[in-house]
Amino acid sequence: MNEVVINNNEFLRQYETKIAGKLAKIEYASQERKVFLTKLVIPEEVTDPEFKDEFIRTVLKSIEERNLSVVPTSPQIAGFLRKHKEFKCLLPVGIRI
């Protein structure tokens, strides 16, 4: 799997990347120092099982670099955080998944 390159489209409030000529995205909302990851959209044509995890991982690293907290309201992203405890530090105090 190649490294996923993301674009933070602040106008549409989504992290984006192109794969197989299609747009994959994670929609978000921001409030104070928190980023609420609300929806994950992966094109049906994408068959690589590792892409979803690598995309989420890249977005979380980008958020971490900006010293923001993450509130995963998308079930798919919450599931990723449950499996990958190394990102638990991004959750705000009092948020459990």
Side-chain angles (χ1 to χ4, degrees):
M1 170 104 236
N2 293 334
E3 184 179 338
V4 177
V5 178
I6 61 167
N7 174 46
N8 180 4
N9 185 332
E10 293 182 21
F11 180 73
L12 295 176
R13 293 188 312 265
Q14 61 191 23
Y15 291 97
E16 310 168 331
T17 191
K18 290 273 188 174
I19 181 162
K22 302 288 183 178
L23 186 69
K25 62 185 178 179
I26 296 177
E27 297 175 3
Y28 69 85
S30 296
Q31 179 183 355
E32 297 174 10
R33 304 275 312 146
K34 297 181 189 91
V35 178
F36 293 78
L37 300 177
T38 59
K39 186 176 181 183
L40 171 66
V41 178
I42 304 290
E44 292 177 10
E45 296 84 2
V46 177
T47 57
D48 183 351
E50 296 176 16
F51 172 75
K52 179 177 82 169
D53 284 357
E54 191 58 34
F55 182 37
I56 295 170
R57 182 178 285 108
T58 303
V59 168
L60 290 174
K61 286 180 182 178
S62 172
I63 293 169
E64 183 177 37
E65 288 171 2
R66 295 172 39 216
N67 293 318
L68 300 174
S69 296
V70 170
V71 181
T73 59
S74 161
Q76 295 164 306
I77 296 171
F80 176 88
L81 285 167
R82 271 188 222 99
K83 289 185 213 168
H84 298 88
K85 302 294 185 194
E86 66 268 27
F87 292 107
K88 187 177 180 182
C89 62
L90 294 177
L91 296 172
V93 174
I95 300 291
R96 291 186 176 179
I97 54 164

